[in-house]
Amino acid sequence: MASRLTNFITAHSLLNDYQFGFRQHHSTSLALIDVIDNIYSHLDNKEYVLGIYLDPKKAFDTVDHSILLSKLNCYGIRGLSILAFLVI
């Protein structure tokens, strides 16, 4: 199921290019490299840089499941595929 869902999401380009976590060839190390590159680019242009970092450890606990299911439905993820989310 996970493989089919990943293939569907990839085939329809549903994720932002900057979604690094839980994606093949998009490690969190690459995310860090991207941030550092962006910081250096702005510093080279004599611009200010500010970073605010949060620890979203419990972020998934606050997801409104009815909104999540509605969004999945809008993206075409329905039927038996949706049942996998309901079981979790």
Side-chain angles (χ1 to χ4, degrees):
M1 180 59 86
S3 176
R4 290 180 66 193
L5 186 56
T6 300
N7 291 338
F8 179 87
I9 289 170
T10 302
H12 293 89
S13 302
L14 297 180
L15 294 179
N16 186 298
D17 289 339
Y18 293 99
Q19 168 67 42
F20 288 96
F22 307 107
R23 290 180 70 189
Q24 201 171 25
H25 309 297
H26 288 80
S27 69
T28 51
S29 296
L30 287 177
L32 184 57
I33 290 168
D34 187 62
V35 168
I36 291 170
D37 185 51
N38 201 330
I39 289 170
Y40 280 131
S41 177
H42 286 285
L43 291 175
D44 288 343
N45 292 328
K46 308 286 189 239
E47 297 172 336
Y48 293 104
V49 177
L50 171 69
I52 299 173
Y53 300 92
L54 305 172
D55 181 7
K57 195 182 309 185
K58 296 284 186 177
F60 292 109
D61 293 344
T62 64
V63 171
D64 184 321
H65 292 105
S66 62
I67 294 172
L68 174 61
L69 292 172
S70 176
K71 285 186 177 192
L72 290 171
N73 185 56
C74 288
Y75 286 128
I77 300 169
R78 302 178 183 91
L80 293 176
S81 299
I82 244 10
L83 292 177
F85 286 99
L86 295 175
V87 172
I88 295 173

